[in-house]
Amino acid sequence: MYTFNLVNKFPNIQELNLSAFGQESFLSSLLDNTSVLNTLSNSFAELKQLKRLRLNIPGCKHRLAFILKNLTNPLEYLNLTSCGLVEQDLDFLTSSIHTSTINNLVLSNNDLNNQCDALIKLLKKMRSNIQVLDLGCNSFQFDVYFKIVNEVIVKMDNLRMLVTLDVFKFDNYFKLAEKLSQLGNFVSWRINYSSDYYEKSAKIKNRNKFKKFKQDYIEALERRLATINGSRSVKITINDPDLNFILNEIF
């Protein structure tokens, strides 16, 4: 409550982070309180300059429209990680004022596999302006993810970076790479190791051989997944905490 009231003291802020930061259960329960929910929604009415918003609170599920209904300034960046988004929330975004202005959209960790049609509908509305799209860790089945890529992502003319962190087979990553190579401005793709990698690496007991296997695997992925569109290469970044791979912040 105090945090939401504090927002009103700074009406000219352009960036707001309301992430849970390890307090997911507490903040989610707060939003069960009608008074708190109203305070949060009304606070957004005062933020006439807001351009970037992180709203990483599980309690937003089914409530996104109510929370953001008073936000009148179109956003450029929206991060809805771990919000538990459902079709109702995606439909709100699709009809909102933000679809033509958001260029950086983060929808990671929302288990969106069963929301495929609503997600495609949303992304089609944002097709011309999205530059960075994070759909990581959404428990996508490969056929669902391929449908999303094939029907809308390959038509995002200004897309520069895509985050794909669900675990697919190696050959399926290659199929996605072939599709993504159609994108004229695409320069960076963050992916996970394939299921094949985990199956094979589990059988290697010697530590040095394991490290070499990792390096060989990375190089193989780069050779097969680093697509070239004209004279420009696409950078592949592997999500591997064990090897301390760091995603370059190019945006």
Side-chain angles (χ1 to χ4, degrees):
M1 178 76 77
Y2 296 114
T3 300
F4 302 150
N5 285 332
L6 187 61
V7 168
N8 294 328
K9 304 294 184 181
F10 302 96
N12 295 321
I13 61 174
Q14 296 187 24
E15 182 169 355
L16 179 63
N17 189 337
L18 293 178
S19 299
F21 288 127
Q23 300 295 324
E24 290 85 355
S25 296
F26 173 68
L27 288 177
S28 181
S29 64
L30 272 183
L31 294 185
D32 289 333
N33 184 304
T34 302
S35 177
V36 173
L37 193 61
N38 285 330
T39 300
L40 174 59
S41 180
N42 292 333
S43 296
F44 282 116
E46 306 298 323
L47 303 181
K48 306 298 185 182
Q49 306 298 322
L50 190 65
K51 295 181 179 179
R52 298 173 60 86
L53 174 64
R54 290 177 181 264
L55 192 65
N56 310 148
I57 305 174
C60 294
K61 182 179 181 179
H62 293 295
R63 295 168 173 157
L64 195 63
F66 185 85
I67 293 172
L68 298 182
K69 67 179 181 180
N70 292 317
L71 183 59
T72 58
N73 192 57
L75 296 169
E76 296 178 0
Y77 168 84
L78 179 61
N79 187 323
L80 296 173
T81 297
S82 302
C83 284
L85 301 178
V86 294
E87 184 177 356
Q88 175 183 339
D89 301 312
L90 296 174
D91 286 346
F92 160 72
L93 286 178
T94 301
S95 60
S96 73
I97 60 174
H98 311 292
T99 53
S100 61
T101 56
I102 290 176
N103 55 51
N104 190 329
L105 180 65
V106 181
L107 298 177
S108 60
N109 200 31
N110 279 292
D111 291 330
L112 293 175
N113 188 73
N114 294 328
Q115 312 298 335
C116 176
D117 292 339
L119 179 59
I120 288 176
K121 184 178 178 182
L122 170 63
L123 295 179
K124 283 183 176 179
K125 288 289 292 289
M126 297 180 164
R127 183 180 68 83
S128 62
N129 41 288
I130 288 292
Q131 297 181 30
V132 180
L133 179 61
D134 185 345
L135 296 177
C137 303
N138 274 302
S139 302
F140 284 118
Q141 297 297 317
F142 176 73
D143 59 338
V144 173
Y145 197 82
F146 188 82
K147 179 180 179 181
I148 296 169
V149 170
N150 191 48
E151 291 192 14
V152 60
I153 292 180
V154 295
K155 299 174 183 177
M156 291 180 166
D157 298 333
N158 294 306
L159 186 67
R160 301 184 64 205
M161 177 180 176
L162 176 66
V163 178
T164 306
L165 294 183
D166 287 305
V167 179
F168 304 130
K169 286 189 173 295
F170 183 74
D171 288 343
N172 287 337
Y173 273 123
F174 187 62
K175 291 177 182 177
L176 292 174
E178 290 179 331
K179 286 293 181 180
L180 294 173
S181 66
Q182 302 173 29
L183 294 167
N185 292 301
F186 193 52
V187 296
S188 181
W189 190 19
R190 186 182 179 191
I191 65 173
N192 215 330
Y193 280 116
S194 72
S195 55
D196 313 61
Y197 166 83
Y198 291 112
E199 291 170 3
K200 293 177 181 177
S201 64
K203 300 176 182 178
I204 301 176
K205 305 302 181 183
N206 181 280
R207 184 173 178 81
N208 290 329
K209 288 183 178 181
F210 181 64
K211 287 183 177 180
K212 185 177 186 305
F213 174 73
K214 276 191 171 184
Q215 190 58 43
D216 290 345
Y217 191 84
I218 292 167
E219 292 176 357
L221 282 171
E222 288 177 343
R223 285 195 300 271
R224 295 194 67 182
L225 295 177
T227 58
I228 297 179
N229 191 323
S231 60
R232 179 183 43 73
S233 296
V234 176
K235 180 178 180 180
I236 307 297
T237 306
I238 309 297
N239 188 50
D240 182 9
D242 292 335
L243 289 182
N244 296 316
F245 274 81
I246 300 174
L247 176 63
N248 291 328
E249 298 294 340
I250 61 176
F251 300 100

